[in-house]
Amino acid sequence: MAQTRLNVGLIGAGWIGKVHAEHLAFRVPEVDLQVIADVNEKTAREVAERNRIPKAVADYHDILSNPAIDAIVVSSPTNTHTQIVCEAAQAGKHIFCEKPVDFSLEKIDEALGWVEKTGVKLQIGFNRRFDPNFARIRKAVASFEIGEPHFLHIMSRDPEPVTPEYARTSGGIFMDMTIHDFDMARFLIGCEVIEVFTYGGVRIDPEIGKVGDLDTVLVLLKFEDGTFGTIDNSEKAVYGYDQRVEVFGSKGSIQIANNYPNTAVISDGESIHRDLPLYFFVERYTESYIAEMRAFAQAVLEDKPIPVSGLDGRLAVVMAMAARKSYDEKRPIKLSEIG
Amino acid sequence: MAQTRLNVGLIGAGWIGKVHAEHLAFRVPEVDLQVIADVNEKTAREVAERNRIPKAVADYHDILSNPAIDAIVVSSPTNTHTQIVCEAAQAGKHIFCEKPVDFSLEKIDEALGWVEKTGVKLQIGFNRRFDPNFARIRKAVASFEIGEPHFLHIMSRDPEPVTPEYARTSGGIFMDMTIHDFDMARFLIGCEVIEVFTYGGVRIDPEIGKVGDLDTVLVLLKFEDGTFGTIDNSEKAVYGYDQRVEVFGSKGSIQIANNYPNTAVISDGESIHRDLPLYFFVERYTESYIAEMRAFAQAVLEDKPIPVSGLDGRLAVVMAMAARKSYDEKRPIKLSEIG
Amino acid sequence: MAQTRLNVGLIGAGWIGKVHAEHLAFRVPEVDLQVIADVNEKTAREVAERNRIPKAVADYHDILSNPAIDAIVVSSPTNTHTQIVCEAAQAGKHIFCEKPVDFSLEKIDEALGWVEKTGVKLQIGFNRRFDPNFARIRKAVASFEIGEPHFLHIMSRDPEPVTPEYARTSGGIFMDMTIHDFDMARFLIGCEVIEVFTYGGVRIDPEIGKVGDLDTVLVLLKFEDGTFGTIDNSEKAVYGYDQRVEVFGSKGSIQIANNYPNTAVISDGESIHRDLPLYFFVERYTESYIAEMRAFAQAVLEDKPIPVSGLDGRLAVVMAMAARKSYDEKRPIKLSEIG
Amino acid sequence: MAQTRLNVGLIGAGWIGKVHAEHLAFRVPEVDLQVIADVNEKTAREVAERNRIPKAVADYHDILSNPAIDAIVVSSPTNTHTQIVCEAAQAGKHIFCEKPVDFSLEKIDEALGWVEKTGVKLQIGFNRRFDPNFARIRKAVASFEIGEPHFLHIMSRDPEPVTPEYARTSGGIFMDMTIHDFDMARFLIGCEVIEVFTYGGVRIDPEIGKVGDLDTVLVLLKFEDGTFGTIDNSEKAVYGYDQRVEVFGSKGSIQIANNYPNTAVISDGESIHRDLPLYFFVERYTESYIAEMRAFAQAVLEDKPIPVSGLDGRLAVVMAMAARKSYDEKRPIKLSEIG
């Protein structure tokens, strides 16, 4: 009889690890979350208890060496990703790994090499692909519903900026925030970006500038099929998370609106208004976080192709590097100039 | 050679007379507005001067006896309408008459009798039929775009209540305000109402109640084709004029939204909002006031059927009477019980 | 230590029973669904297996007599509700019961009597109260955000009509479909309806008329606070489920839009369009079905007031009876005329 | 007594000349349109007759030498603009001139020099500034309603491409189409653009490419206040004219939607849809064409500042040149590199 549930170990109990823990424990019927690892064993135990995970360990090698475990979910700090991916592949575990895979293309390539050599499955955590709104756009483009794409516009804004401390190790806005939009751009248009051009500034928090990062960027994309794209990222939309896209093509246009907690519109003596949008990605993308895990588990259980590959993870990193280089050198950068 | 412009005299320089004066003078290419009459000759002269109308008179008979005049527009007080219509018909002038035609069915019938006998054209001032939104609904119903109609909902709310003084002579809310919606109901569905049932109250200004009128009414309509309708009227929507309709049918539904001065949506830290709607009917229906005059002039010049007939004017009055009777007697009233 | 999870038995494995089974098994963390009963034991076993429910029985008395069970969820046919409620109350089990409680006020009163006498908690399945859109309206009304309510409009339309066979035992459209809207009307305005007036027809399926039921109804409501309301129900909106409400008041208006699977708007050579709404209540109200169960479990576990009481269940039945009586007698009916 | 109407001569009876003729004749109360000139005298006479313009001439010098004429409106071909402006200034006539002023900065500067020297008023035909939607955005930015601007997005798409013949003499897409958006960008943000970067392609009609023009362009703007902007231009939106803008700032965002002939939304078995937008600029911008003429006439009559200056006209031309240069040289171009 076919295996119906995947035995999973979760590595990393930081905030995104906590999000995954709750989903894997209660909302993903295809998964049995059996163990969680975190270097801070106390945190691991707390998360385990809250989510009825049978076991908590400090050392993730305990998971990799456990024959009962089929797959791991990697939500540890970025600088540990490739090391864990390499070891997990060698241990024959399937891998779900958070974005970005790494800040170094060499380390990414080594990890992807082990994945290829061992034949394990590797999925990268670009959860937005599983959001019904973005998926609807992809469907429209893929089915030629709006013809050949000519323009792509991504508006992607956070409700509050990262701290300067966070910015110091995040890899910078392109690697940390825009990376989701880079993946979305490739996913939506269904072909590769060949060049980027970047404007960037520090408009929100001067402290972010002092650590060498940006908080307000506009990235222009040129795709190999002739589509032109824009990504605007602001780390502070005072009204809350704002995630919208338009694709314009030879047969029409498709746009998605932002997501709100309800559809109510109030008319009073001051204005016609509605409540602020869902505050941030945890609220907005809950369902897509669950959906990416279900897709991963199903791909492993049914031996189907992984929906977001290691190469997808690598290409988004390349785009982030090119965007930063464009900002630094004040000129359009071909992706072929990178790695 | 065919006459290309209609020589018009305007009777009544009250506020709606002033609206018509400006439109007829500057915005209706099919009309030459040659003279204006008002019992207050000073007002007539002022309106004439402001709008470059060649002549102003105190006595409307000067217009009726003027052989150069083809048609009149009657915007004098309601209690003078039928008298003027009768005389104008006898003088062979075509007539545009404001709503309501009169509060008395006998007087209406006498006026319609003269119109029929003399063969002049008579159009009633139900301007909303010429609004692009309402017209789009009519088109959808008439073309079976939404199939057979099952429900009609009219939301029709004013930004501020009439004064108690006005209410004393207006004929009451059904005759003064709902009458537009009664006409709209017949126009949109394209068949006759056979019964009404009314709930009414005084929710806004107790003084309106003291003179025997209502300021908040809900009227249920039963059409001969089986459609059920509702009209809600409030004399005070704090956010401004609100004019919306939905028709639901066997093949779908059509709804129109309210009209706004711009399409801008502002997102800030408090809410997602837009500006208040166009304040009142003068702002909202400017174009339809012009369009009804153009339609009248064209119908006369080209000898085509009038788009809003005297019978339309009469039927709206019958519905207003039935609605009040239903409120008074607390029971559904068949229109056949009236007149 | 306080009990953290409620041990629940589910009675009835029809379609709504199946919906509850899945939610109670996987989506309601406060509940341990331990047993399911259905007179068709095979169905009970199948539903149990699919949802990993430990036990399936044919006779619900096995649940009532099980000391490990804290509470039951009743989703058996309507004509068994009050019998089960009475027995469950006597057995000291807390009760969640689907709507309508019963078609007979006597039987309802007997059941409510036992509930009161035994002190168990009873919640009725008016799930829509837990929908974020309806809840937002309730909040606006309760907080005086739109002032005193003057009008309530409920548009509530199904995508396909019931079968004539179903209509024969459903209690009719008022008891089966409008009952949700009756409850919603009371809930949203926060006061009681004192009179109803009904128009009804058979516009969709003549067979429904042959068994004495209606498929298209318009119900007028008069509330004790002077608010006037309308409910329009059609059993067939060709575009799918349609659930919208507006409340208009002295300080403004609040409206909710229908719910859609995504926010995408496509502009092409034909029109500007979006996908059809969520098809029916299972799609639209999934989250509110879960939320009502969580609220029930929490109310029991924490000994808090039940959010939808037995009296709420009774009053909706009274309104359904009055609406039918109004249709039959072609006159407004005071609720005081009923039971 | 102050002069209340401006005596105007119109030069050029091409299509935009015809639009102005009708507006000046019937819709601009501040203007007496006394004469029209066109090298094709027959056309001039036809337009005069249709619009009751007293006089038609072949040679515009007849207008310039007419002492009864206060001001001229120049809607002749672009390559005649500066010549006429120079002569009109010398003749002491106030001037309304269509965009673009000219393709040569030298000629523009000569014309502006004469305007300055003679003290006549010169307004450029950037009519969109008078559109209520764009004006609402400007108001929001100017009043700090959305704080300091960070991003500007202009979507500006035509329903059908120009002909290759037209493209041969239009000055190219940047000078002919984007020029409106360049002016809008400066107007909305209220400060100057310092650099542009352009992607461009031929996606609609290869014949347009053969004459050296583009039909699909994306222009990036850097403003001196740090705002980043995008303009997307397509010459073919199959759904019709599309004119939308968003400005995002430190305190919020403001967006305008496209303009439609009505607000009706139809729900049927296929989709939820509305009618296509207003087809093209004649339909969309009728009111703003009238408003720019009223503003011009009022500025002259009341000796107030002109709302769209000759410098505004020059700067838009500079931006068009920079945008083309960026496309040609594949690098960001500072405006200081131009002229």
Side-chain angles (χ1 to χ4, degrees), chain C residues 11-14 16-17 38 60 73-81 84 98:
Chain C
I11 299 174
I16 184 69
D38 196 280
Y60 69 84
V73 169
V74 183
S75 50
S76 53
T78 300
N79 62 9
T80 67
H81 285 178
I84 297 176
E98 267 305 325

PDB file of all heavy atoms in Angstrom, chain C residues 11-14 16-17 38 60 73-81 84 98:
ATOM      1  N   ILE C  11     -23.784  13.504  15.470  1.00  0.00           N
ATOM      2  CA  ILE C  11     -24.970  12.708  15.146  1.00  0.00           C
ATOM      3  C   ILE C  11     -25.518  13.145  13.798  1.00  0.00           C
ATOM      4  O   ILE C  11     -25.983  14.274  13.639  1.00  0.00           O
ATOM      5  CB  ILE C  11     -26.051  12.870  16.246  1.00  0.00           C
ATOM      6  CG1 ILE C  11     -25.493  12.373  17.585  1.00  0.00           C
ATOM      7  CG2 ILE C  11     -27.316  12.121  15.867  1.00  0.00           C
ATOM      8  CD1 ILE C  11     -26.417  12.629  18.767  1.00  0.00           C
ATOM      9  N   GLY C  12     -25.456  12.236  12.836  1.00  0.00           N
ATOM     10  CA  GLY C  12     -25.942  12.555  11.497  1.00  0.00           C
ATOM     11  C   GLY C  12     -24.792  12.703  10.529  1.00  0.00           C
ATOM     12  O   GLY C  12     -23.961  13.587  10.678  1.00  0.00           O
ATOM     13  N   ALA C  13     -24.751  11.821   9.518  1.00  0.00           N
ATOM     14  CA  ALA C  13     -23.651  11.842   8.552  1.00  0.00           C
ATOM     15  C   ALA C  13     -24.162  12.163   7.155  1.00  0.00           C
ATOM     16  O   ALA C  13     -23.669  11.654   6.162  1.00  0.00           O
ATOM     17  CB  ALA C  13     -22.887  10.519   8.575  1.00  0.00           C
ATOM     18  N   GLY C  14     -25.174  13.018   7.095  1.00  0.00           N
ATOM     19  CA  GLY C  14     -25.620  13.525   5.787  1.00  0.00           C
ATOM     20  C   GLY C  14     -24.611  14.545   5.292  1.00  0.00           C
ATOM     21  O   GLY C  14     -23.498  14.637   5.819  1.00  0.00           O
ATOM     22  N   ILE C  16     -24.386  17.842   5.521  1.00  0.00           N
ATOM     23  CA  ILE C  16     -23.871  18.832   6.471  1.00  0.00           C
ATOM     24  C   ILE C  16     -23.111  18.127   7.593  1.00  0.00           C
ATOM     25  O   ILE C  16     -22.139  18.661   8.140  1.00  0.00           O
ATOM     26  CB  ILE C  16     -25.003  19.745   7.019  1.00  0.00           C
ATOM     27  CG1 ILE C  16     -24.429  20.842   7.948  1.00  0.00           C
ATOM     28  CG2 ILE C  16     -26.049  18.945   7.775  1.00  0.00           C
ATOM     29  CD1 ILE C  16     -23.604  21.879   7.257  1.00  0.00           C
ATOM     30  N   GLY C  17     -23.528  16.917   7.914  1.00  0.00           N
ATOM     31  CA  GLY C  17     -22.780  16.115   8.887  1.00  0.00           C
ATOM     32  C   GLY C  17     -21.366  15.852   8.397  1.00  0.00           C
ATOM     33  O   GLY C  17     -20.397  15.914   9.158  1.00  0.00           O
ATOM     34  N   ASP C  38     -24.835   7.413  12.708  1.00  0.00           N
ATOM     35  CA  ASP C  38     -25.820   7.615  11.634  1.00  0.00           C
ATOM     36  C   ASP C  38     -26.645   6.338  11.526  1.00  0.00           C
ATOM     37  O   ASP C  38     -26.108   5.230  11.663  1.00  0.00           O
ATOM     38  CB  ASP C  38     -25.133   7.921  10.303  1.00  0.00           C
ATOM     39  CG  ASP C  38     -26.112   8.520   9.298  1.00  0.00           C
ATOM     40  OD1 ASP C  38     -26.883   7.752   8.675  1.00  0.00           O
ATOM     41  OD2 ASP C  38     -26.144   9.759   9.159  1.00  0.00           O
ATOM     42  N   TYR C  60     -27.560   6.752  17.983  1.00  0.00           N
ATOM     43  CA  TYR C  60     -26.972   7.904  18.682  1.00  0.00           C
ATOM     44  C   TYR C  60     -27.050   7.763  20.197  1.00  0.00           C
ATOM     45  O   TYR C  60     -26.355   8.479  20.925  1.00  0.00           O
ATOM     46  CB  TYR C  60     -27.615   9.213  18.212  1.00  0.00           C
ATOM     47  CG  TYR C  60     -29.066   9.407  18.632  1.00  0.00           C
ATOM     48  CD1 TYR C  60     -29.380   9.915  19.886  1.00  0.00           C
ATOM     49  CD2 TYR C  60     -30.120   9.105  17.773  1.00  0.00           C
ATOM     50  CE1 TYR C  60     -30.699  10.093  20.268  1.00  0.00           C
ATOM     51  CE2 TYR C  60     -31.431   9.291  18.146  1.00  0.00           C
ATOM     52  CZ  TYR C  60     -31.720   9.786  19.406  1.00  0.00           C
ATOM     53  OH  TYR C  60     -33.019   9.965  19.780  1.00  0.00           O
ATOM     54  N   VAL C  73     -22.926  17.183  18.441  1.00  0.00           N
ATOM     55  CA  VAL C  73     -23.293  18.043  17.325  1.00  0.00           C
ATOM     56  C   VAL C  73     -24.391  17.326  16.551  1.00  0.00           C
ATOM     57  O   VAL C  73     -24.190  16.202  16.098  1.00  0.00           O
ATOM     58  CB  VAL C  73     -22.080  18.322  16.412  1.00  0.00           C
ATOM     59  CG1 VAL C  73     -22.504  18.994  15.111  1.00  0.00           C
ATOM     60  CG2 VAL C  73     -21.052  19.174  17.149  1.00  0.00           C
ATOM     61  N   VAL C  74     -25.558  17.988  16.432  1.00  0.00           N
ATOM     62  CA  VAL C  74     -26.726  17.347  15.837  1.00  0.00           C
ATOM     63  C   VAL C  74     -26.917  17.818  14.405  1.00  0.00           C
ATOM     64  O   VAL C  74     -27.289  18.966  14.162  1.00  0.00           O
ATOM     65  CB  VAL C  74     -27.998  17.652  16.656  1.00  0.00           C
ATOM     66  CG1 VAL C  74     -29.199  16.908  16.065  1.00  0.00           C
ATOM     67  CG2 VAL C  74     -27.797  17.304  18.121  1.00  0.00           C
ATOM     68  N   SER C  75     -26.644  16.932  13.465  1.00  0.00           N
ATOM     69  CA  SER C  75     -26.859  17.279  12.056  1.00  0.00           C
ATOM     70  C   SER C  75     -27.698  16.198  11.378  1.00  0.00           C
ATOM     71  O   SER C  75     -27.562  15.933  10.192  1.00  0.00           O
ATOM     72  CB  SER C  75     -25.516  17.475  11.349  1.00  0.00           C
ATOM     73  OG  SER C  75     -24.649  16.398  11.599  1.00  0.00           O
ATOM     74  N   SER C  76     -28.573  15.606  12.157  1.00  0.00           N
ATOM     75  CA  SER C  76     -29.521  14.618  11.631  1.00  0.00           C
ATOM     76  C   SER C  76     -30.698  15.356  10.997  1.00  0.00           C
ATOM     77  O   SER C  76     -30.775  16.583  11.072  1.00  0.00           O
ATOM     78  CB  SER C  76     -29.996  13.740  12.795  1.00  0.00           C
ATOM     79  OG  SER C  76     -30.492  14.574  13.835  1.00  0.00           O
ATOM     80  N   PRO C  77     -31.657  14.646  10.376  1.00  0.00           N
ATOM     81  CA  PRO C  77     -32.804  15.326   9.767  1.00  0.00           C
ATOM     82  C   PRO C  77     -33.579  16.184  10.778  1.00  0.00           C
ATOM     83  O   PRO C  77     -33.629  15.856  11.968  1.00  0.00           O
ATOM     84  CB  PRO C  77     -33.663  14.169   9.249  1.00  0.00           C
ATOM     85  CG  PRO C  77     -32.684  13.073   8.999  1.00  0.00           C
ATOM     86  CD  PRO C  77     -31.644  13.210  10.074  1.00  0.00           C
ATOM     87  N   THR C  78     -34.171  17.272  10.268  1.00  0.00           N
ATOM     88  CA  THR C  78     -34.833  18.238  11.146  1.00  0.00           C
ATOM     89  C   THR C  78     -35.861  17.586  12.071  1.00  0.00           C
ATOM     90  O   THR C  78     -35.940  17.939  13.249  1.00  0.00           O
ATOM     91  CB  THR C  78     -35.530  19.313  10.282  1.00  0.00           C
ATOM     92  OG1 THR C  78     -34.541  19.959   9.498  1.00  0.00           O
ATOM     93  CG2 THR C  78     -36.236  20.336  11.139  1.00  0.00           C
ATOM     94  N   ASN C  79     -36.586  16.611  11.559  1.00  0.00           N
ATOM     95  CA  ASN C  79     -37.656  16.055  12.382  1.00  0.00           C
ATOM     96  C   ASN C  79     -37.143  15.197  13.546  1.00  0.00           C
ATOM     97  O   ASN C  79     -37.932  14.703  14.348  1.00  0.00           O
ATOM     98  CB  ASN C  79     -38.662  15.291  11.524  1.00  0.00           C
ATOM     99  CG  ASN C  79     -38.013  14.103  10.825  1.00  0.00           C
ATOM    100  OD1 ASN C  79     -36.855  13.753  11.100  1.00  0.00           O
ATOM    101  ND2 ASN C  79     -38.756  13.489   9.914  1.00  0.00           N
ATOM    102  N   THR C  80     -35.838  15.011  13.646  1.00  0.00           N
ATOM    103  CA  THR C  80     -35.275  14.287  14.798  1.00  0.00           C
ATOM    104  C   THR C  80     -34.616  15.232  15.805  1.00  0.00           C
ATOM    105  O   THR C  80     -34.200  14.793  16.873  1.00  0.00           O
ATOM    106  CB  THR C  80     -34.206  13.283  14.324  1.00  0.00           C
ATOM    107  OG1 THR C  80     -33.072  14.022  13.807  1.00  0.00           O
ATOM    108  CG2 THR C  80     -34.724  12.375  13.217  1.00  0.00           C
ATOM    109  N   HIS C  81     -34.496  16.514  15.427  1.00  0.00           N
ATOM    110  CA  HIS C  81     -33.715  17.444  16.266  1.00  0.00           C
ATOM    111  C   HIS C  81     -34.196  17.531  17.710  1.00  0.00           C
ATOM    112  O   HIS C  81     -33.422  17.348  18.645  1.00  0.00           O
ATOM    113  CB  HIS C  81     -33.762  18.859  15.661  1.00  0.00           C
ATOM    114  CG  HIS C  81     -32.905  19.056  14.454  1.00  0.00           C
ATOM    115  ND1 HIS C  81     -32.850  20.245  13.755  1.00  0.00           N
ATOM    116  CD2 HIS C  81     -32.064  18.205  13.802  1.00  0.00           C
ATOM    117  CE1 HIS C  81     -32.022  20.119  12.723  1.00  0.00           C
ATOM    118  NE2 HIS C  81     -31.544  18.892  12.731  1.00  0.00           N
ATOM    119  N   ILE C  84     -33.692  14.505  19.957  1.00  0.00           N
ATOM    120  CA  ILE C  84     -32.291  14.327  20.356  1.00  0.00           C
ATOM    121  C   ILE C  84     -31.876  15.381  21.367  1.00  0.00           C
ATOM    122  O   ILE C  84     -31.188  15.092  22.340  1.00  0.00           O
ATOM    123  CB  ILE C  84     -31.366  14.358  19.111  1.00  0.00           C
ATOM    124  CG1 ILE C  84     -31.711  13.184  18.177  1.00  0.00           C
ATOM    125  CG2 ILE C  84     -29.899  14.295  19.521  1.00  0.00           C
ATOM    126  CD1 ILE C  84     -30.927  13.182  16.864  1.00  0.00           C
ATOM    127  N   GLU C  98     -28.191  21.876  14.418  1.00  0.00           N
ATOM    128  CA  GLU C  98     -28.402  22.546  13.129  1.00  0.00           C
ATOM    129  C   GLU C  98     -29.753  23.246  13.076  1.00  0.00           C
ATOM    130  O   GLU C  98     -30.655  22.918  13.818  1.00  0.00           O
ATOM    131  CB  GLU C  98     -28.325  21.520  11.978  1.00  0.00           C
ATOM    132  CG  GLU C  98     -26.948  21.394  11.368  1.00  0.00           C
ATOM    133  CD  GLU C  98     -26.386  22.729  10.882  1.00  0.00           C
ATOM    134  OE1 GLU C  98     -27.155  23.575  10.398  1.00  0.00           O
ATOM    135  OE2 GLU C  98     -25.166  22.936  11.034  1.00  0.00           O
TER     136      GLU C  98
END
